Amino acid sequence: MKPIPERQDVDTALTVWARAERNQQGVVSDDNGTIELLYSSVRQQAPEVSAALTRHAVQQMVGKIHSEVQRLAAASGNENTESLLAKIPSLGRFAASGKLGNLRAEWQQLMHGREAMLQRIASERKQIFDEFRHLMPSMPLGIDASGTVTYRTSFDSIASQQQLREQLAEIDAYPVKSGELSSQFQKDLPRSFLKVDTEGISQRFGLRHEEQKLAALRKVFDNDEAVLGSVSKVLNQIMPTIVLVPHHNLSPNTSGIVLQADKKNEESSFFQIRRRGEIVELSVDTYGKIDTVDLPGNLENLSSRLWRMNQGERWSGDPGPENYGRHTHFSFTLDIAAARNGELRALEGTQLHGLHEIRLCPVVRDKT
């Protein structure tokens, strides 16, 4: 296995570019965005090639700066990409002309003290987290460099696997008449994202489009209404709840703390069906927001506390794989022979996969 090459930082790339301008040399960029000097002979003997390589390098440099600015904004949580880009006005002129101008000086000024500021913010976030961590469920956790805390529980033990199968069996008990579909499935189909993958050919559907989704599902199951009826029992908003019972058993919350979103019911569900011959895998990923950690007052403890979480550009937009506060995953291999007989269950001898995640990034006051 080849080692992953170390990525060139923006300041180093701008230093190389400045040297090229001083020496009247061209520049070139590889696929990793590394800026290097171009041989003088190329510029002299093939000026058109040199110009094309420079234009590509300009695009790579602009992309490198944008990526770094986005990282800084995400790590801070107190700034957005646009406000940081406004501090390097020469970037637009550089993108158009390929000339540095004041870009290097503006970048260095932006970066001056930035890492120390980010370290301070991460430290303060950890201090805020320490205020309420004892109130949270007992779950495995990790803290990244930005101060974001991730709780993650998986369900690989024999006991957890049995609980997942029991939850699936409870769903199978819901009656669905022959030739019909679950009413919950029909209700949720237009408000869910769906990917159908058959023998390597994929179809993706966003919100609504229920007729197209239903046609794709019928096709993946060879128009077998009995199979589709069985699958409809689980292919709805009940599917992600399968992991909740074993999750609560593994990580009970007795403190009364509440994880809340500013917008109620702001949640996105992504379903996937993957078929290879007679092997059919069903999965769901559900993402939601967490905007506050709330400890309400009660008769024993009249004081209440509220901590703001997950604010800023990094967490904006509809919840999804990049900006979630809460994530639930469940997947299993369908026993398609049983499904043809109207029964919903996992194929014997296969693993059921469950995951429950919570991500919390405490809000700190900007002192810059």
Side-chain angles (χ1 to χ4, degrees):
M1 181 181 293
K2 294 183 179 179
I4 299 174
E6 185 175 347
R7 296 188 69 85
Q8 183 187 52
D9 62 46
V10 172
D11 191 59
T12 301
L14 290 173
T15 300
V16 173
W17 205 291
R19 179 183 171 189
E21 287 190 350
R22 284 197 308 270
N23 299 334
Q24 296 185 338
Q25 290 180 265
V27 290
V28 63
S29 175
D30 64 16
D31 292 338
N32 295 314
T34 301
I35 305 297
E36 298 177 338
L37 297 175
L38 185 65
Y39 291 118
S40 299
S41 58
V42 176
R43 194 175 191 184
Q44 295 169 0
Q45 298 176 17
E48 292 182 358
V49 173
S50 175
L53 291 172
T54 298
R55 284 195 298 273
H56 176 69
V58 168
Q59 294 172 354
Q60 293 285 75
M61 176 64 83
V62 171
K64 184 192 290 283
I65 291 174
H66 271 268
S67 296
E68 181 64 11
V69 167
Q70 288 172 350
R71 184 192 73 83
L72 291 172
S76 163
N78 299 321
E79 302 166 295
N80 57 41
T81 301
E82 288 72 22
S83 66
L84 291 178
L85 287 174
K87 298 178 181 180
I88 43 176
S90 294
L91 182 60
R93 292 189 290 272
F94 170 77
S97 67
K99 302 297 182 182
L100 277 182
N102 295 325
L103 180 59
R104 188 182 177 204
E106 291 170 359
W107 178 259
Q108 290 176 340
Q109 183 176 359
L110 175 65
M111 293 300 294
H112 180 67
R114 187 67 48 171
E115 289 302 325
M117 181 268 289
L118 293 179
Q119 290 177 8
R120 175 187 61 77
I121 289 176
S123 177
E124 291 186 16
R125 281 178 176 150
K126 185 178 183 302
Q127 291 176 19
I128 295 172
F129 167 68
D130 286 341
E131 293 178 11
F132 63 79
R133 68 180 302 173
H134 65 286
L135 302 172
M136 296 292 292
S138 178
M139 296 169 62
L141 63 88
I143 303 178
D144 67 18
S146 73
T148 300
V149 179
T150 301
Y151 291 89
R152 183 178 291 109
T153 304
S154 55
F155 308 92
D156 300 325
S157 69
I158 295 175
S160 295
Q161 286 288 298
Q162 181 59 33
Q163 287 182 321
L164 292 176
R165 290 182 183 275
E166 290 172 358
Q167 293 301 303
L168 196 58
E170 287 191 17
I171 293 174
D172 182 46
Y174 289 119
V176 174
K177 294 181 180 178
S178 177
E180 295 187 1
L181 302 174
S182 159
S183 59
Q184 190 64 47
F185 164 82
Q186 296 179 68
K187 179 180 178 181
D188 292 337
L189 190 61
R191 59 187 186 185
S192 301
F193 298 87
L194 174 66
K195 179 183 178 183
V196 178
D197 188 329
T198 311
E199 305 299 340
I201 300 175
S202 298
Q203 290 180 280
R204 295 177 182 270
F205 302 94
L207 303 179
R208 298 179 294 277
H209 306 292
E210 51 265 40
E211 293 183 4
Q212 293 91 326
K213 292 175 182 176
L214 197 54
L217 291 172
R218 285 199 167 98
K219 185 177 180 180
V220 79
F221 292 123
D222 301 322
N223 293 308
D224 191 324
E225 293 296 324
V227 175
L228 185 56
S230 300
V231 170
S232 74
K233 298 178 185 179
V234 73
L235 208 64
N236 54 66
Q237 295 299 327
I238 201 172
M239 187 173 180
T241 68
I242 289 175
V243 304
L244 293 184
V245 169
H247 165 66
H248 290 315
N249 288 339
L250 286 171
S251 309
N253 179 9
T254 58
S255 66
I257 201 166
V258 180
L259 307 179
Q260 299 197 82
D262 293 338
K263 295 181 180 178
K264 302 302 181 185
N265 302 317
E266 186 176 30
E267 194 171 81
S268 301
S269 296
F270 297 80
F271 294 90
Q272 179 172 347
I273 298 177
R274 184 173 180 267
R275 181 167 185 173
R276 298 291 185 276
E278 288 293 282
I279 303 299
V280 179
E281 297 173 354
L282 305 180
S283 71
V284 64
D285 287 276
T286 299
Y287 301 94
K289 293 292 186 73
I290 294 176
D291 298 305
T292 58
V293 173
D294 187 10
L295 179 64
N298 53 46
L299 293 177
E300 296 180 0
N301 181 12
L302 297 179
S303 62
S304 62
R305 291 291 305 277
L306 185 147
W307 298 268
R308 294 291 294 174
M309 298 287 142
N310 304 350
Q311 303 297 304
E313 183 181 37
R314 175 186 176 188
W315 306 93
S316 64
D318 294 332
E322 303 300 326
N323 64 342
Y324 64 87
R326 192 193 311 267
H327 169 218
T328 300
H329 169 84
F330 178 67
S331 61
F332 70 101
T333 302
L334 178 71
D335 186 335
I336 196 166
R340 292 189 180 108
N341 293 321
E343 300 176 36
L344 174 70
R345 62 173 181 245
L347 187 64
E348 194 67 32
T350 60
Q351 184 92 351
L352 288 76
H353 299 281
L355 179 70
H356 187 77
E357 288 183 303
I358 293 172
R359 289 200 307 178
L360 302 174
C361 185
V363 173
V364 301
R365 186 164 52 89
D366 189 5
K367 299 177 182 178
T368 58

